[in-house]
Amino acid sequence: MATINGKDIRKLVVACDAGMGSSVMLASTLRKQLGKSGVTVEHTPVNSIPADADVVVCHNGLAARARSVAPDKPIVGFQVFLGDPAVTRVVKAIQQGTDLNV
Amino acid sequence: MSDQLLDPRAIRLGETAASRDDAIRLCGEVLVEIGAAEPGYIDTMLAREQSISTYVGEGVAIPHGTLAGKDLVKRDALAVLRFPETVDWDGEPVTLCVAIAAQGDGHVELLAALAEILLDEDQARELREATEPETVTRLLGSIQEEAKQ
């Protein structure tokens, strides 16, 4: 368990296997939700998580792989692609500058 | 136009499938038929579904291949298949599949539009209940035009 403050998140990465489908959809909704905050949202395959990512969001089924690729990054796993409470918590932490436990 | 992202030939609204995998195969066959992917891409779509479901909510799934399957994509394209009798998708009833073949980011705007639609109950229902291809292109299409600019 680690804690990250929403204010310290400058780049959020949505990772999935191919970076072709669901991660694209989630990234687009997050981009819209976080548009005003100035946070960069990218979608990438889980094998190429960029070094400057502050937080990684990915499906629970990929969280283990994401951790092995980016062991030093906070990883937030989710189960449903649209409206998952875990993702909502990240958005809130960024918007309100509050702490996020991951 | 055969090189567009959402080819009218790839919108099929009266399909039937006995199972999730059957539906994915049908989706894959359409992507192959319109020249968007090699036949081997279909197996990678099935593999992807095995590892993580592509169900995204509101009776919609977005089947697509794995990272390895990207090499079998010939051009970015989508296919929209509707199963009026629904398909059992690991316990979720799926009416609409938006199948994806993509190497680049050409389809990103269209998926963004889909996400917006699914977050709006009324629009999601309209898309799910569409019986005319024009309804699908109208719902997804205005954004598609923007993406081309």
Side-chain angles (χ1 to χ4, degrees):
Chain A
M1 204 59 132
T3 302
I4 180 169
N5 190 282
K7 286 194 288 286
D8 299 327
I9 299 175
R10 303 316 302 159
K11 182 183 267 190
L12 181 155
V13 167
V14 183
C16 91
D17 173 65
M20 193 193 299
S22 33
S23 65
V24 176
M25 251 173 76
L26 180 59
S28 76
T29 52
L30 287 177
R31 219 166 271 139
K32 201 156 227 182
Q33 286 170 348
L34 297 174
K36 283 183 198 141
S37 67
V39 173
T40 306
V41 179
E42 285 184 3
H43 61 94
T44 67
V46 68
N47 294 337
S48 41
I49 292 168
D52 60 349
D54 297 308
V55 64
V56 178
V57 174
C58 71
H59 191 276
N60 282 335
L62 281 174
R65 253 171 77 194
R67 272 186 199 103
S68 69
V69 173
D72 55 331
K73 305 276 184 215
I75 311 266
V76 177
F78 64 87
Q79 196 59 38
V80 289
F81 288 109
L82 295 172
D84 193 288
V87 178
T88 308
R89 275 196 293 278
V90 177
V91 171
K92 263 204 185 126
I94 292 173
Q95 287 172 339
Q96 301 172 353
T98 48
D99 281 346
L100 176 73
N101 294 315
V102 291
Chain B
M1 250 172 80
S2 61
D3 62 341
Q4 70 194 64
L5 199 54
L6 186 53
D7 188 322
R9 291 178 301 155
I11 304 177
R12 303 184 186 189
L13 304 178
E15 301 293 304
T16 50
S19 65
R20 182 197 74 183
D21 287 358
D22 199 18
I24 293 170
R25 270 186 216 101
L26 283 172
C27 288
E29 280 162 15
V30 174
L31 291 171
V32 172
E33 193 186 313
I34 62 167
E38 303 283 352
Y41 185 69
I42 301 173
D43 282 337
T44 77
M45 292 173 77
L46 291 164
R48 157 64 211 235
E49 206 67 43
Q50 288 271 321
S51 58
I52 299 169
S53 170
T54 63
Y55 181 73
V56 289
E58 289 291 338
V60 177
I62 54 166
H64 57 270
T66 57
L67 188 58
K70 273 192 171 181
D71 294 339
L72 300 166
V73 172
K74 296 203 272 190
R75 65 177 173 88
D76 292 1
L78 303 180
V80 177
L81 276 74
R82 180 170 171 265
F83 302 91
E85 289 161 36
T86 76
V87 178
D88 180 356
W89 210 276
D90 309 314
E92 301 282 357
V94 162
T95 309
L96 200 78
C97 285
V98 179
I100 306 162
Q103 260 180 342
D105 283 341
H107 65 308
V108 167
E109 292 298 322
L110 212 148
L111 280 188
L114 179 62
E116 289 295 306
I117 290 166
L118 297 183
L119 290 169
D120 179 320
E121 249 177 66
D122 293 334
Q123 285 197 60
R125 189 186 317 111
E126 196 181 353
L127 182 66
R128 222 172 27 237
E129 294 177 355
T131 52
E132 300 298 327
E134 291 72 25
T135 311
V136 175
T137 44
R138 174 172 53 80
L139 283 166
L140 297 171
S142 54
I143 311 270
Q144 192 183 351
E145 288 306 313
E146 286 170 25
K148 279 181 194 157
Q149 288 168 13

